[in-house]
Amino acid sequence: MQIAIPAERLAGEHRVAATPETVKKLVAAGHAVSVQAGAGLAAAIPDAAYADAGAAIAPQRQPLLAAADIVLCVRAPEADDIAALKAGAVIVGMLSPYHNPLLPQLAARGVSAFALELLPRTTRAQSMDVLSSQNNIAGYKAVLLACQYYPRFMPMLMTAAGTVKAARVLVLGVGVAGLQAIATAKRLGAVVEAYDVRPATREQVESLGAKFVEVPMSEEEKAASSGVYAREMTPEFLARQNELLAKRAAAADIVITTALIPGKPAPRLLSAAAVAGMRPGSVIVDLAAEAGGNCELTRAGEAHLSDNGVHLVGLANLPAMLAADASSLYARNLLTFLGLLLSPEGLKLDLDDDIVAATLVAHQGEQRFGAPAKPAAAAQTDKEPHHG
């Protein structure tokens, strides 16, 4: 197969979808790999490293895409890139399926498009889980960003000039990013507590040496919060949650928020009033900024100071700030996923495979995710898996 690795076009996106390590393995398997010139420079990978691994370096983008059987990308392609793809081509990457207005164009082009954000949370899919690999990096970087804005030390220091107290860190949302934020803050010597709407995460929080903050819940609310992902909760629960989190934020020096609900706006965990109750010099790093923010005062893509002197950090795409390691992990995720699509005979899409079916958002001219609902009569005979 002819596999193409284009440079990313989104501003601030420094990652790349393949590394010399993964290119070498693809070439050894008999595939031809072409990398757009300069695609890996921001991730500390020069063109020569790709060439040494067996890739061809393509000076122009459109011919690279037009010749490709498979395109590996980090971000969703833009309209002119889609127009350059040949019918029947495969594209694999993080395609933003919940908010991508170009899915109909991908379908109309006859492209088979795989959005890896839709991977099922199963043991079999773990090695392909791009969200986990990239959120792990985001949680780590969030703590380092907090240190950048926080005007004090993180650890407790006993000096001849007196003792400096350890910073108090509150992590909201205990997924992959939240757990890494907890671990990183602990390594830096902070006192850490964490909250998640899912009570089952208590054990993970406490295993990292942090304190778990718990909002009282009814049996119905516990049942609603028992899944892998956080879900929207009742207004009564949210009122109790917000009251408690405002108190914990007021006692914290640094708050890192990571709560997301797939396909929906980020849950609001910190109100403007909660921020007003925090001490000057405190820091909020909002990893949900691009989805509307967990904090009411977050500005996506910006870092600013509130009226009472709280640093609000809504910078986007933290994994791209550590592009070398982020690209390495992401490229390995993609290489593993390609193992489901490639056979010795070439490309083979097994729609009975749960991972393939869950991530396939466009195929053979059909938009398979987020498409308008079919008429009831047709829906009764529809045998395709439901993704949206």
Side-chain angles (χ1 to χ4, degrees):
M1 306 299 294
Q2 180 66 46
I3 300 175
I5 315 297
E8 296 300 317
R9 299 174 66 180
L10 184 69
E13 183 52 80
H14 302 310
R15 293 171 290 180
V16 64
T19 62
E21 174 196 0
T22 60
V23 166
K24 188 174 183 179
K25 291 178 179 178
L26 289 169
V27 171
H31 307 292
V33 180
S34 297
V35 180
Q36 184 179 349
L41 286 178
I45 307 172
D47 291 344
Y50 284 118
D52 290 344
I57 305 302
Q60 295 182 315
R61 184 182 188 86
Q62 299 305 313
L64 167 74
L65 294 173
D69 300 309
I70 299 174
V71 177
L72 303 182
C73 59
V74 178
R75 296 286 189 150
E78 298 182 12
D80 56 337
D81 287 340
I82 297 173
L85 298 173
K86 62 184 180 184
V90 169
I91 186 164
V92 181
M94 293 189 290
L95 306 184
S96 302
Y98 294 105
H99 310 290
N100 189 343
L102 297 181
L103 287 185
Q105 185 180 345
L106 280 167
R109 190 65 184 164
V111 171
S112 294
F114 292 91
L116 296 188
E117 300 98 317
L118 299 176
L119 277 163
R121 303 304 297 269
T122 60
T123 301
R124 180 168 168 257
Q126 281 183 345
S127 59
M128 314 168 201
D129 192 342
V130 295
L131 292 183
S132 289
S133 72
Q134 302 306 294
N135 286 343
N136 200 24
I137 295 170
Y140 169 81
K141 186 62 178 179
V143 177
L144 301 190
L145 272 178
C147 291
Q148 177 181 330
Y149 288 93
Y150 184 56
R152 298 179 175 86
F153 283 113
M154 287 283 276
M156 182 181 75
L157 292 178
M158 299 180 69
T159 75
T163 299
V164 176
K165 292 182 179 180
R168 301 189 66 87
V169 175
L170 172 64
V171 177
L172 303 181
V174 187
V176 173
L179 289 170
Q180 183 56 248
I182 293 168
T184 302
K186 287 293 293 183
R187 285 193 294 267
L188 290 173
V191 176
V192 185
E193 59 183 15
Y195 166 76
D196 196 287
V197 71
R198 299 164 298 164
T201 59
R202 172 192 286 273
E203 183 177 352
Q204 294 171 296
V205 169
E206 293 177 346
S207 72
L208 293 172
K211 177 184 176 182
F212 186 72
V213 175
E214 187 168 9
V215 177
M217 304 176 75
S218 67
E219 292 303 317
E220 292 78 10
E221 289 166 344
K222 288 180 181 178
S225 62
S226 62
V228 174
Y229 293 108
R231 301 180 184 179
E232 291 180 297
M233 302 297 287
T234 64
E236 295 78 14
F237 174 82
L238 294 177
R240 298 196 304 273
Q241 170 189 270
N242 294 344
E243 180 182 0
L244 178 61
L245 294 186
K247 291 179 181 178
R248 302 317 308 153
D253 300 301
I254 293 169
V255 181
I256 296 172
T257 73
T258 73
L260 289 166
I261 299 173
K264 295 184 179 295
R268 186 58 48 80
L269 302 178
L270 293 176
S271 64
V275 176
M278 295 176 67
R279 293 188 293 270
S282 300
V283 180
I284 298 172
V285 179
D286 193 339
L287 294 187
E290 289 183 283
N294 295 140
C295 175
E296 183 179 355
L297 299 183
T298 297
R299 299 175 189 169
E302 294 184 24
H304 70 284
L305 203 62
S306 72
D307 292 340
N308 61 316
V310 175
H311 296 275
L312 293 145
V313 183
L315 300 182
N317 199 4
L318 269 58
M321 297 180 185
L322 296 169
D325 281 337
S327 297
S328 178
L329 297 177
Y330 182 78
R332 291 172 190 166
N333 292 148
L334 263 62
L335 180 67
T336 306
F337 183 81
L338 283 179
L340 302 179
L341 309 183
L342 297 173
S343 69
E345 295 76 33
L347 186 65
K348 181 181 179 181
L349 304 187
D350 180 6
L351 300 188
D352 291 327
D353 185 298
D354 64 318
I355 295 175
V356 172
T359 54
L360 187 59
V361 296
H363 181 57
Q364 294 183 344
E366 177 190 359
Q367 181 180 338
R368 292 166 53 95
F369 184 91
K374 295 181 179 181
Q380 292 175 1
T381 58
D382 184 6
K383 300 299 182 183
E384 295 291 345
H386 174 66
H387 306 298

